[in-house]
Amino acid sequence: MMAKKESFDLIVVGSGPGGYVAAVRAAQLGLKVVCIEKESRVGGVCLNIGCIPSKALLDSSEYFLLAKDHFATHGIKTGRLNLDLPVLMARKEQVVRELTENVVNLLKRNKVKLIHGIARLKGEGRVAVLKNSGAGKTKHQTLEGKAVLLATGSSPVPLTGFEFDGKYIVSSTEALSFQSVPRHLVIVGGGYIGLELGSVWLRLGAKVTVLEMLPKIATTLDGQVSRALKRVLKKQGMEIRLQTKVSAIRTSARRVQVILSTDGKEEKLNCDRVLVAVGRKPLTHGLDLEAVGVETDPKTGHVRVNESYQTSIGNIYAIGDLIPGPMLAHKASAEGTAAAECIAGLPGEVNYDAIPSVVYTWPEVATVGLTEEEVKERAIPYCTGSYPFSGAGRARCMGETEGFVKLIAHAKTDRVLGVHIIGSRAADMIAEAVLAIEFGASSEDIARTVHGHPTFAEALQEAARTVNNCSIYV
Ligand code: FAD
Ligand code: NAD
């Protein structure tokens, strides 16, 4: 069949939080835009098998835990609790469906053409799309664009020698949709996914064992916060083994055996499933980057870009999980906006010093800026201030006193360098700290800003006050 050609100002490959945001921003700036997505639903990993379904499960499982263990302290009697896992999963599906439909409407409203198909680079401004035309048949289409933006995201890294089998050795995708609560879930990797999905299944009744090869969990966190998180998760019943390596996984009918070693001592663990969550890698498969001359980092697989998100081929751009930096949805979206602005001839940029990250465990962990280990390593003179949630009135009212706020400020200028929070509502509280860093605020600025009372945010104000030793509550 003859290939059909169509021309655009911008061809966006991938409709995740990087791609769809870039497409909309570019269209708002007057460009004629097409977005290509290989899956039947838009929204990428984030909306379909990442941020959104995991948070829906975290929220449902938190309600279950609250009803089981905490309502009674508020004088609310519930009687015997039952878990209806199919309903919980159906609700998660509905949240995902609604949000992905919103993205389709957003693209339509902004006149972005959406094409479902697998994209492959054919040249500097040409993209081939392989479309499913029904009844097992496929159709090719070639698109021409003044610019191409790659936003194809990432995929889970398997454990060397023990590939995912979708049943016993699974990735986060399957762990978001288990049809029954595992009796014993072993998780390899104590990072974001391991701790969040481990929390979900622990709350719903599974025994959960996390195996982490390094000496701390959530390795990028400030050490003090990481230790506090480990303590509280252990208290909740999560078994966490640090400096532990997996040497083999044996699967037989319905049973899985994990052979692991801690400090050279070998041990066997029997379980029902193993969730491998040891990181994700850029997804470039099938794009034909090499043929076109788009350079990647041979070690990490990331696409190399300059500060305007241009790859080694001038009119091909890349953003999101595909390029270096934290693999986070809001980072991908910020880059999508900036790249679209650069492509439209505007000065788009992202402040990488002010990107928050959140681990949605209970309590939540939220952080922005430098950790104490990082300021020490860079020999920056610094002061810290911290404040426990047990001192915040609102936290007491809610019985959510676990955790603290830690603020790191420059010793000479008092400029805020980092804020690290472990506690209920940390995910929302961090926004104030992000703004402080974005605006170059000092800890005194936060200390002198009037905060509503009683709120969790008062703990941040108090932490800032302790930097200047003027807290009235210590
Ligand atoms: P993606 O979202 O991966 O989108 C890429 C899109 O490109 C996909 O739809 C894919 O189908 C499409 N595509 C790929 N190749 C082609 C091709 N050749 N042709 C056409 N289309 C193609 N981040 C957070 O900030 N907060 C969270 O709470 C959070 N939770 C997460 C939970 C889990 C379980 C996981 C796995 C990830 C989570 N993340 C979270 C990370 C977040 O999902 C990613 O950082 C984000 O989705 C990256 O966005 P992206 O646009 O770069 O890529
Ligand atoms: P991660 O990088 O967060 O954690 C992986 C962990 O596995 C690390 O602690 C690492 O030391 C450990 N590890 C690596 N190899 C190992 C091995 N052989 N044995 C034992 N441990 C090993 O990766 P992830 O949890 O897979 O998540 C992938 C990415 O997705 C994250 O980096 C994050 O960017 C994103 N994500 C974000 C959120 C969020 O923002 N709340 C949630 C989920 C995922």
Side-chain angles (χ1 to χ4, degrees):
M1 185 180 281
M2 274 273 290
K4 231 173 72 187
K5 277 189 191 161
E6 213 179 329
S7 299
F8 295 88
D9 293 320
L10 176 63
I11 302 171
V12 178
V13 183
S15 69
Y20 87 75
V21 169
V24 169
R25 183 70 186 129
Q28 286 170 347
L29 294 172
L31 304 192
K32 183 182 175 195
V33 186
V34 61
C35 182
I36 308 165
E37 172 53 56
K38 69 175 170 60
E39 300 294 334
S40 56
R41 280 204 305 215
V42 298
V45 166
C46 175
L47 264 66
N48 292 285
I49 49 168
C51 329
I52 297 302
S54 59
K55 266 77 260 178
L57 294 186
L58 278 156
D59 289 336
S60 295
S61 61
E62 189 173 326
Y63 283 133
F64 184 67
L65 193 76
L66 285 174
K68 188 157 82 66
D69 295 344
H70 299 276
F71 278 7
T73 61
H74 292 270
I76 304 164
K77 291 190 176 163
T78 52
R80 197 177 129 77
L81 274 186
N82 286 311
L83 173 68
D84 192 338
L85 192 59
V87 170
L88 187 149
M89 288 291 172
R91 176 189 170 276
K92 173 205 70 172
E93 261 311 298
Q94 191 186 340
V95 173
V96 169
R97 201 170 41 247
E98 285 169 3
L99 287 174
T100 55
E101 282 167 9
N102 281 356
V103 174
V104 172
N105 292 332
L106 184 70
L107 292 172
K108 256 190 215 153
R109 267 205 311 280
N110 285 281
K111 300 191 172 47
V112 174
K113 182 168 179 170
L114 174 63
I115 297 180
H116 286 280
I118 303 171
R120 182 171 58 83
L121 295 175
K122 275 189 87 178
E124 281 199 20
R126 287 194 309 147
V127 175
V129 186
L130 182 66
K131 297 196 288 189
N132 183 346
S133 54
K137 289 193 178 146
T138 53
K139 207 162 90 182
H140 288 272
Q141 183 176 6
T142 302
L143 305 175
E144 293 204 336
K146 288 182 192 143
V148 176
L149 176 66
L150 303 174
T152 52
S154 62
S155 59
V157 174
L159 210 54
T160 317
F162 308 100
E163 296 298 312
F164 296 115
D165 62 18
K167 201 169 171 192
Y168 299 119
I169 306 177
V170 302
S171 73
S172 53
T173 305
E174 292 79 24
L176 288 167
S177 296
F178 288 156
Q179 284 170 12
S180 59
V181 178
R183 267 168 302 173
H184 186 186
L185 176 65
V186 169
I187 302 177
V188 188
Y192 286 81
I193 292 177
L195 300 179
E196 290 186 359
L197 292 183
S199 294
V200 167
W201 294 109
L202 178 76
R203 292 168 190 172
L204 298 181
K207 174 179 176 184
V208 171
T209 307
V210 173
L211 311 176
E212 166 58 51
M213 68 175 186
L214 294 180
K216 71 189 251 211
I217 55 167
T219 51
T220 51
L221 292 183
D222 182 275
Q224 198 184 342
V225 174
S226 169
R227 286 191 294 278
L229 179 62
K230 181 174 149 248
R231 246 188 336 264
V232 68
L233 289 175
K234 276 192 143 181
K235 216 161 67 187
Q236 289 166 23
M238 190 180 280
E239 199 181 326
I240 299 176
R241 310 250 190 123
L242 300 179
Q243 292 175 292
T244 297
K245 282 193 183 133
V246 171
S247 53
I249 304 176
R250 295 183 190 134
T251 56
S252 60
R254 293 166 176 266
R255 288 313 288 168
V256 188
Q257 191 171 63
V258 181
I259 320 291
L260 56 99
S261 63
T262 313
D263 294 330
K265 260 196 243 149
E266 200 175 271
E267 204 182 317
K268 289 176 185 149
L269 271 187
N270 291 320
C271 61
D272 330 67
R273 291 165 191 266
V274 180
L275 162 60
V276 176
V278 295
R280 296 178 64 85
K281 59 175 186 234
L283 180 57
T284 52
H285 177 75
L287 283 175
D288 260 1
L289 297 182
E290 273 176 37
V292 179
V294 173
E295 281 176 17
T296 54
D297 181 324
K299 255 196 187 155
T300 63
H302 288 117
V303 173
R304 287 191 169 134
V305 290
N306 65 15
E307 62 289 347
S308 305
Y309 304 98
Q310 265 173 321
T311 67
S312 48
I313 301 295
N315 69 343
I316 301 180
Y317 295 73
I319 54 164
D321 281 9
L322 205 52
I323 68 169
M327 288 183 164
L328 297 172
H330 43 278
K331 178 256 192 192
S333 297
E335 289 174 345
T337 303
E341 289 168 352
C342 291
I343 292 165
L346 299 171
E349 62 176 332
V350 174
N351 178 2
Y352 288 95
D353 293 334
I355 296 189
S357 68
V358 178
V359 191
Y360 292 84
T361 43
W362 184 92
E364 293 170 341
V365 175
T367 130
V368 62
L370 300 176
T371 62
E372 191 163 357
E373 291 76 14
E374 285 168 335
V375 284
K376 273 186 187 156
E377 208 178 285
R378 295 181 196 189
I380 300 172
Y382 71 97
C383 295
T384 65
S386 67
Y387 195 77
F389 282 105
S390 54
R394 188 67 202 279
R396 288 229 168 224
C397 293
M398 291 184 62
E400 299 279 8
T401 51
E402 192 81 56
F404 56 87
V405 177
K406 172 175 177 178
L407 192 148
I408 302 171
H410 195 287
K412 290 191 182 132
T413 64
D414 192 35
R415 191 174 173 148
V416 178
L417 301 173
V419 174
H420 309 277
I421 309 173
I422 174 166
S424 194
R425 304 196 179 186
D428 295 302
M429 276 177 67
I430 201 70
E432 181 182 351
V434 178
L435 202 65
I437 290 185
E438 183 72 41
F439 285 3
S442 63
S443 76
E444 190 182 346
D445 289 328
I446 297 180
R448 290 187 183 279
T449 299
V450 180
H451 287 67
H453 175 75
T455 58
F456 280 74
E458 285 172 296
L460 175 62
Q461 183 182 21
E462 286 306 323
R465 281 179 172 159
T466 65
V467 173
N468 294 305
N469 292 325
C470 65
S471 175
I472 50 171
Y473 294 113
V474 286

